[in-house]
Amino acid sequence: MATILKHAVPKSEVTASLAQVRETVTGVIADIRARGDEAVRAYSEKFDKWSPDSFRLTDEEVEKIIASVPQQVIDDIRFVQDQVRTFARHQLDSLREFEVETLPGVRLGQKHIPVQAAGAYIPGGRYPLTASAHMTIVTAKVAGVPRVVACTPPIHGEIPAATVAAMHLAGADEIWLLGGVQAVAAMSVGTDTMRPVNLIAGPGNAYVAEAKRQLFGEIGIDLFAGPTEILVLADDQADPFVCAVDLLSQAEHGPDSPAVLITTSREVAEKTIAEVERLLPGMPTRDFAGPAWRDHGQVHVVDTLDELYALADEFAFEHVEVLTAEPRLALERMTQYGALFLGEGTCVSFGDKVIGTNHVLPTRGAARYTGGLWVGKYLKTVTYQEVTDTDSQALLGRLCGRAARVELFEGHARSGDVRAAKAAGDELPWNTA
């Protein structure tokens, strides 16, 4: 039986807010469909105070921007991108193309084809999120995507130089200083100056996530990655200070970022709440972390680890940090999460910034049906078939005829009949010519 020491705002308030987001996004997408570049520029001016002659950076502009970035930052970007690239290559190696002969002369195969154009959305309205460039662009390039369009917004009217450097070093083919719904819509439907892509990947705020949701089907998306979520699981051995620091590390993403603690210890719960309240006033990002904790923070106390893992699966959160005596038990006990961070030595921030696994992860319960962004998201797994043996052609043709007629699909049946006739001389009573 869980005891809730801290509640989030009622779901009805969240639902009402999402309804407003949907309405706004619908209008922006429709306007960009109708007016193209003119509408894109208008929304960029409105939301980002940004209206350059061209939103796409030239090669010369990119080189000049990168030259302004400190060498240590460049070195760190290269190191982290190496980690992401290495993990993505291991993922690619785990995917197998094959061809098998299931009957004499019947060959069935599977192969992986990269999408031909991907859009990478790198958030940046509040912070220069260089790490999202690594996750979206490097992974796409490892998959073999030939054209990667990367978009990021300016920050307070300034070019985010480190983000541009990360986009370039990751391998982006086009770099655009464009953000929000206007960037997602432009990449999806295309304009006079931007050719559309086939798939869009990357995290973003509620508006970006909703734009991806509305455009899904017309283009592919990685997943619904909305406001960041963190779930900390703790037993009586956990350090409340660490719990508090890590909860706030994700709350600072934005005022709508849920931060939740589930623990088997009431003492850990109460001390964590006290530590959060102590640390918050001194955080430079308290304007975001404060409202996130106030409105979306939760603390639950349960009696057993069994209850802890069961409740954690109900949340199906993006990030789950396991601060228990035996953290690897979560690998056996949990099934619904975006990514696990096992033990005190492994924080969610490692996954966000440096460790090499992808930080674009499912939110708002999407972990019930999908994992996060990975190299396979950029690949289309397709099949092919070939029948060259006449006996197999006859066998399958006759079987197809019978199976299709059970379903009253006479056209399908006749297609099978013809193969049996060609291979074995079967009669075609329906062919009166």
Side-chain angles (χ1 to χ4, degrees):
M1 190 72 178
T3 300
I4 304 176
L5 299 190
K6 185 183 185 309
H7 290 266
V9 296
K11 285 187 177 181
S12 58
E13 292 187 26
V14 177
T15 301
S17 176
L18 288 176
Q20 184 178 8
V21 169
R22 289 193 183 102
E23 183 178 353
T24 300
V25 170
T26 299
V28 172
I29 292 174
D31 194 14
I32 290 173
R33 285 189 193 279
R35 296 194 296 135
D37 285 326
E38 182 184 356
V40 169
R41 184 170 296 279
Y43 289 115
S44 182
E45 289 177 338
K46 177 180 179 180
F47 297 128
D48 292 325
K49 308 288 191 294
W50 185 253
S51 183
D53 292 338
S54 172
F55 291 104
R56 180 177 176 179
L57 296 177
T58 65
D59 292 343
E60 293 75 16
E61 288 172 325
V62 170
E63 290 177 7
K64 183 178 179 180
I65 291 167
I66 292 174
S68 72
V69 179
Q71 188 59 47
Q72 183 65 63
V73 174
I74 297 294
D75 292 344
D76 289 345
I77 287 172
R78 290 187 187 276
F79 177 87
V80 175
Q81 289 185 351
D82 281 344
Q83 311 314 301
V84 175
R85 189 174 292 108
T86 296
F87 191 74
R89 283 175 176 161
H90 281 295
Q91 289 181 323
L92 186 62
D93 289 343
S94 75
L95 297 171
R96 190 169 67 89
E97 295 187 346
F98 63 85
E99 182 176 288
V100 294
E101 190 172 23
T102 58
L103 293 167
V106 178
R107 283 175 286 276
L108 309 181
Q110 169 179 292
K111 65 180 298 186
H112 307 293
I113 302 174
V115 298
Q116 295 301 290
Y121 186 79
I122 293 91
R126 299 187 182 106
Y127 314 115
L129 294 179
T130 59
S132 288
H134 318 329
M135 307 300 172
T136 53
I137 302 168
V138 169
T139 308
K141 284 301 182 182
V142 170
V145 178
R147 174 176 171 248
V148 177
V149 178
C151 288
T152 196
I155 300 178
H156 308 302
E158 300 292 330
I159 296 173
T163 304
V164 171
M167 295 159 87
H168 174 73
L169 294 172
D173 299 287
E174 302 173 21
I175 297 176
W176 297 69
L177 288 180
L178 188 63
V181 177
Q182 58 271 24
V184 175
M187 287 191 286
S188 300
V189 306
T191 70
D192 288 340
T193 57
M194 182 188 290
R195 289 184 293 133
V197 300
N198 308 126
L199 179 147
I200 290 179
N205 62 17
Y207 291 90
V208 168
E210 176 60 19
K212 289 167 64 180
R213 190 191 70 81
Q214 291 191 21
L215 290 160
F216 175 58
E218 184 170 350
I219 50 97
I221 64 171
D222 50 354
L223 47 95
F224 298 117
T228 290
E229 304 165 340
I230 182 172
L231 175 60
V232 174
L233 307 181
D235 61 13
D236 59 356
Q237 303 299 307
D239 183 343
F241 175 71
V242 172
C243 294
V245 168
D246 291 350
L247 288 166
L248 291 174
S249 75
Q250 298 301 299
E252 74 177 357
H253 272 278
D256 50 359
S257 292
V260 177
L261 170 68
I262 305 175
T263 177
T264 56
S265 167
R266 188 179 186 95
E267 181 181 5
V268 168
E270 292 173 345
K271 287 185 175 179
T272 297
I273 293 172
E275 288 286 0
V276 168
E277 299 300 334
R278 181 179 71 84
L279 292 167
L280 249 177
M283 285 189 70
T285 51
R286 60 185 173 274
D287 288 349
F288 301 135
W293 175 250
R294 179 193 67 215
D295 296 339
H296 303 284
Q298 298 182 49
V299 176
H300 298 251
V301 180
V302 296
D303 294 328
T304 67
L305 284 175
D306 286 343
E307 292 179 61
L308 178 140
Y309 290 127
L311 183 56
D313 265 351
E314 288 182 25
F315 274 94
F317 260 21
E318 174 186 20
H319 305 110
V320 179
E321 190 170 287
V322 187
L323 304 180
T324 62
E326 297 182 80
R328 292 183 70 87
L329 278 177
L331 289 169
E332 303 171 14
R333 304 297 297 279
M334 291 188 65
T335 60
Q336 299 188 154
Y337 54 85
L340 287 181
F341 300 83
L342 302 175
E344 190 180 277
T346 317
C347 59
V348 170
S349 296
F350 281 178
D352 279 349
K353 306 299 181 186
V354 297
I355 208 166
T357 49
N358 208 293
H359 79 193
V360 182
L361 298 165
T363 63
R364 291 183 177 152
R368 293 183 176 90
Y369 60 83
T370 186
L373 179 61
W374 69 298
V375 71
K377 289 284 187 179
Y378 293 101
L379 298 172
K380 299 175 291 180
T381 300
V382 298
T383 60
Y384 59 92
Q385 306 82 35
E386 182 181 33
V387 183
T388 58
D389 181 85
T390 54
D391 288 343
S392 292
Q393 288 178 25
L395 171 66
L396 292 172
R398 292 162 187 157
L399 178 61
C400 180
R402 295 193 300 271
R405 288 186 173 98
V406 168
E407 297 177 346
L408 306 181
F409 271 69
E410 182 62 24
H412 285 65
R414 292 181 178 187
S415 190
D417 293 347
V418 168
R419 270 61 191 181
K422 289 275 190 178
D426 288 22
E427 294 184 3
L428 300 176
W430 47 265
N431 182 22
T432 58

